[in-house]
């Protein structure tokens, strides 16, 4: 992957591990609607699963992830914050679960049931996050949008086309806002804003310019879209279910059933 | 045959600022026009009237005989616009999707979209990075991506607003090459700039704007002698009495 050039590239470049990665693996070729169903089904199954079930789920996921060329190095760097969160969840669980003490260090007692439930909870969380990562890495944003639109079509009172457009714009705008905030913060640091101790003053000095610039850019984007004939009635990516989608569906359903009944 | 006809065009903004004041212009099909003027002279405002992003307060803009105000959708199909800020025109999550945005809005079918996108990306030389994320591209590549996005809609007129701003030397050359290629393919080209040096060797008409008015209009050789009176820098070669060379050589 190339490095971003120019001041606006930074944060966007850092977000790339969570983005779509081009490829032709099985996960890439599956229909986005099926993948959303799998995502929901497997997440629910993992909530009910214990160590044996989770091991099976993780093996299946790892097996399919192996083929989709995610940049593990940069994904790892982004995920370290999540790992810190995970460590905190683990600690909280261990300390808040009673039971016969296994180890006592000074005043803190750690019980065996505490350790196992904490490990289980963390494993589940990690599994769901990896599942989401696999989904995002192997599905084009346009396909996700089209799939959501397809699911919303039968829902009354919801304009699925509007929702799809909004999803696209939100995806488009998160990096813009983040970059704007970072640029503004840097520009103000260069002018010594750190000498001001009042956090409210500093927040206001960052917030208003960022908001103003974001609205200006939203305006620019709106005219660029208008200049390219934007309408809600547009050609959407084709979603087509193949035999492999149904086969995968069968496999996932069996897996979930097995986990729920075990 | 005039493709663009502008008659007594005036534009006043909501806050009362006069953006344009009595513009008369006819632009022939297939011509290569440069609109020059200092900051705030009304170049962007004028260009935005060509595809109906702004509508006249007074007067009329006609494209191939039909008023823009009457049918803005048609105007946007006929006139493609590459904006001053390349970043804010990116709407797609990948290079391919960004170029496909326009054709999708025209409700073309998938095959046609594929063909057009492939062609447009090939023309601007970005075919190899069709799955790259647009925000990671260099300034010159972003500008070329914007051009491809317009090309895929197959407009007859292509309008460039300050196409060389914040580009380095190779970036300017790449974008310039693309503009010339499009002109050779028969597109009518309108370019706004305050930096004549980079493009004037290729234009066949120069329009000079100042405070919302057209103050000079003619061949580059005729108008060039006047530009310094209106806040636009004359190319160095001209000051030395030489011919302005192309930036491509
Ligand atoms: N939305 C607006 N509301 C009020 N005044 C505006 C608006 N947009 C532009 N103007 C004013 O209209 C005039 C012409 O602006 P315009 O953007 O067309 O200039 P320009 O020739 O493109 O300049 P530049 O070289 O800086 O791009 C300027 O004086 C500007 O302040
Ligand atoms: Mg301008």
């Amino acid at each position: 992957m190339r490095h971003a050039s120019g001041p606006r590239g930074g944060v966007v470049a850092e977000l790339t591990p969570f983005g779509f990665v081009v490829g032709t693996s099985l996960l890439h070729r599956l229909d986005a609607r099926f993948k959303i169903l799998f995502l929901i089904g497997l997440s629910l199954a993992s909530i009910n699963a214990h160590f044996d079930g989770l091991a099976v789920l993780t093996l299946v996921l790892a097996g399919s992830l192996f083929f989709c060329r995610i940049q593990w190095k940069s994904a790892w760097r982004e995920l370290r914050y999540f790992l810190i969160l995970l460590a905190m969840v683990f600690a909280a669980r261990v300390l808040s679960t009673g039971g016969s003490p296994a180890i006592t260090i000074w005043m803190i007692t750690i019980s065996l049931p505490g350790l196992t439930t904490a490990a289980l909870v963390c494993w589940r969380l990690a599994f769901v996050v990896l599942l989401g990562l696999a989904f995002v890495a192997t599905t084009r944003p346009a396909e996700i949008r089209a799939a959501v639109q397809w699911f919303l079509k039968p829902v009354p009172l919801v304009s699925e086309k509007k929702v799809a457009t909004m999803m696209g714009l939100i995806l488009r705008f998160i990096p813009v806002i983040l970059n704007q905030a970072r640029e503004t913060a840097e520009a103000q640091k260069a002018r010594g804003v750190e000498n001001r101790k009042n956090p409210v003053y500093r927040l206001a000095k960052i917030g208003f310019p960022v908001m103003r610039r974001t609205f200006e850019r939203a305006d620019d984007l709106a005219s660029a879209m208008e200049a390219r004939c934007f309408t809600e009635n547009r050609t959407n990516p084709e979603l087509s279910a193949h035999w492999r989608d149904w086969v995968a569906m069968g496999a996932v359903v069996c897996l979930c059933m097995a986990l729920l009944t075990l | 045959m005039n493709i663009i006809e502008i008659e007594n065009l005036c534009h006043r903004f909501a806050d009362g600022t006069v953006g344009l004041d009595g513009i008369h212009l006819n632009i022939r099909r297939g011509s290569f026009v440069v609109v020059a003027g200092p900051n705030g002279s009304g170049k962007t405002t004028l260009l935005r009237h060509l595809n109906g992003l702004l509508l006249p307060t007074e007067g009329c803009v006609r494209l191939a005989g039909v008023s823009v105000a009457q049918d803005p959708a048609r105007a946007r199909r006929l006139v493609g616009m590459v904006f001053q800020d390349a970043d804010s025109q990116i709407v797609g999550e990948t290079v391919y999707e960004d170029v496909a945005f326009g054709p999708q809005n025209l409700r073309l079918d998938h095959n046609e979209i594929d063909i057009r996108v492939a062609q447009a990306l090939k023309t601007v030389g970005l075919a190899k990075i069709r799955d790259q994320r647009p925000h990671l591209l260099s300034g010159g590549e972003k500008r070329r991506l914007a051009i491809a996005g317009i090309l895929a809609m197959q407009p007859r007129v292509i309008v460039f607003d300050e196409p060389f701003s914040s580009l380095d030397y190779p970036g300017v050359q790449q974008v310039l090459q693309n503009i010339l290629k499009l002109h050779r393919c028969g597109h009518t080209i309108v370019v706004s700039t305050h930096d004549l040096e980079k493009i004037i060797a290729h234009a066949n008409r120069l329009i000079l704007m100042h405070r919302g008015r057209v103050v000079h209009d003619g061949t580059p050789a005729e108008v060039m002698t006047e530009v310094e009176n209106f806040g636009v820098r004359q190319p160095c070669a001209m000051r030395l009495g030489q011919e302005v060379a192309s930036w491509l050589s």
Side-chain angles (χ1 to χ4, degrees):
Chain A
M1 177 111 337
R2 306 190 29 176
H3 275 285
S5 57
R8 284 191 184 129
V11 172
V12 188
E14 281 162 24
L15 287 175
T16 43
F18 288 118
F20 174 70
V21 184
V22 185
T24 52
S25 70
L26 174 65
L27 283 188
H28 281 91
R29 279 177 294 157
L30 289 176
D31 185 326
R33 292 167 295 182
F34 283 78
K35 280 192 269 190
I36 289 180
L37 290 179
F38 299 166
L39 190 66
I40 296 168
L42 290 173
S43 308
L44 290 178
S46 76
I47 291 173
N48 261 304
H50 287 275
F51 285 108
D52 43 1
L54 273 174
V56 173
L57 282 174
T58 310
L59 271 179
V60 170
L61 180 62
S64 24
L65 270 178
F66 183 72
F67 295 103
C68 55
R69 293 202 320 165
I70 290 180
Q71 293 184 310
W72 287 109
K73 231 181 181 168
S74 39
W76 175 253
R77 228 180 19 166
E78 288 303 305
L79 284 175
R80 64 190 168 193
Y81 298 107
F82 172 68
L83 289 180
I84 294 172
L85 177 77
L86 219 54
M88 276 156 49
V89 170
F90 187 83
R93 269 290 164 154
V94 168
L95 296 179
S96 64
T97 312
S100 57
I103 322 159
T104 310
I105 309 164
W106 194 39
M107 297 275 287
I108 305 163
T109 48
I110 294 170
S111 67
L112 207 56
L115 278 177
T116 49
T117 46
L120 199 57
V121 166
C122 287
W123 194 348
R124 282 179 190 150
L125 269 176
F127 174 76
V128 171
V129 166
L130 273 184
L131 201 61
L133 183 65
F135 175 66
V136 173
T138 60
T139 319
R140 286 176 192 278
E143 281 172 15
I144 300 180
R145 219 156 53 214
V148 169
Q149 192 171 335
W150 188 88
F151 281 119
L152 288 178
K153 212 179 236 161
V155 180
L157 301 180
V158 178
S159 159
E160 71 275 4
K161 282 176 183 153
K162 284 220 169 69
V163 173
T165 307
M166 276 190 299
M167 272 179 61
L169 287 177
I170 290 170
L171 275 182
R172 168 72 180 67
F173 252 93
I174 289 172
V176 172
I177 295 170
L178 289 179
N179 280 338
Q180 197 61 59
R182 196 186 48 129
E183 249 175 70
T184 310
E186 277 171 5
Q188 295 188 358
K189 260 186 212 156
R191 288 162 67 190
V193 77
E194 280 165 330
N195 297 336
R196 294 276 192 154
K197 290 286 175 284
N198 183 352
V200 176
Y201 173 86
R202 281 171 58 167
L203 208 60
K205 278 287 178 236
I206 291 259
F208 289 116
V210 168
M211 259 184 344
R212 206 198 60 238
R213 267 304 282 157
T214 305
F215 284 131
E216 274 170 19
R217 302 203 60 186
D219 219 32
D220 289 347
L221 183 67
S223 29
M225 287 170 68
E226 220 178 317
R228 283 160 82 183
C229 300
F230 180 72
T231 64
E232 278 173 4
N233 278 318
R234 45 209 307 278
T235 319
N236 269 320
E238 256 169 322
L239 297 171
S240 56
H242 291 280
W243 58 268
R244 60 170 169 263
D245 294 305
W246 293 106
V247 171
M249 176 75 120
V252 171
V253 168
C254 289
L255 189 60
C256 293
M257 296 286 275
L259 288 176
L260 290 178
T261 50
L262 267 175
Chain B
M1 171 71 186
N2 291 326
I3 187 149
I4 300 172
E5 295 163 311
I6 301 175
E7 253 172 49
N8 187 33
L9 172 62
C10 299
H11 189 91
R12 222 166 296 117
F13 288 103
D15 63 356
T17 318
V18 177
L20 295 175
D21 187 8
I23 306 259
H24 286 276
L25 273 183
N26 289 319
I27 295 178
R28 289 159 60 87
R29 175 164 298 164
S31 54
F32 190 134
V33 180
V34 170
V35 179
N39 286 142
S41 55
K43 304 181 294 289
T44 303
T45 311
L46 174 65
L47 299 187
R48 281 175 174 243
H49 279 85
L50 298 182
N51 63 356
L53 287 180
L54 290 175
L55 293 174
T57 320
E58 244 177 82
C60 173
V61 178
R62 277 193 299 274
L63 293 174
V66 179
S67 153
V68 170
Q70 238 167 47
D71 192 353
R74 174 179 173 275
R76 279 163 208 164
R77 282 196 304 275
L78 283 183
V79 179
M81 185 157 175
V82 178
F83 288 75
Q84 202 160 354
D85 176 14
D87 272 283
S88 61
Q89 352 182 13
I90 297 170
V91 292
E93 292 98 354
T94 64
V95 167
Y96 177 92
E97 274 166 40
D98 189 70
V99 178
F101 179 79
Q104 284 169 351
N105 288 330
L106 298 180
R107 263 171 278 170
L108 302 175
D109 67 56
H110 291 280
N111 282 335
E112 176 72 14
I113 292 178
D114 264 344
I115 294 170
R116 284 197 186 192
V117 172
Q119 221 166 29
L121 285 177
K122 200 170 146 229
T123 307
V124 300
L126 293 179
K128 282 211 191 88
I129 51 166
R130 48 177 275 160
D131 290 308
Q132 179 78 268
R133 315 184 120 221
H135 293 279
L136 300 178
L137 302 182
S138 73
E141 287 168 335
K142 277 182 192 162
R143 201 64 55 102
R144 284 188 285 154
L145 173 61
I147 296 175
I150 296 304
L151 269 186
M153 300 177 74
Q154 303 187 343
R156 282 202 257 160
V157 181
I158 305 182
V159 172
F160 296 86
D161 195 1
E162 305 274 3
F164 306 120
S165 60
S166 71
L167 291 187
D168 58 5
Y169 185 41
V172 170
Q173 286 189 316
Q174 289 163 4
V175 171
L176 184 56
Q177 253 155 9
N178 280 298
I179 296 178
L180 297 181
K181 201 193 266 182
L182 298 178
H183 184 227
R184 278 198 301 275
C185 293
H187 293 279
T188 307
I189 307 282
V190 181
V191 180
S192 94
T193 185
H194 51 233
D195 186 6
L196 287 171
E197 191 128 26
K198 291 167 185 160
I199 194 151
I200 200 63
H202 304 280
N204 48 35
R205 182 167 169 196
L206 176 57
I207 293 167
L208 189 57
M209 293 192 66
H210 190 70
R211 298 202 180 150
R213 291 167 176 274
V214 171
V215 286
H216 281 285
D217 181 357
T219 65
E222 286 164 11
V223 179
M224 202 78 97
T225 53
E226 303 290 334
V227 294
E228 299 238 326
N229 300 333
F230 296 96
V232 175
R233 191 184 143 85
Q234 223 176 28
C236 289
M238 275 211 66
R239 300 164 166 228
L240 300 172
Q242 299 161 353
E243 200 163 311
V244 185
S246 165
W247 264 50
L248 294 179
S249 50

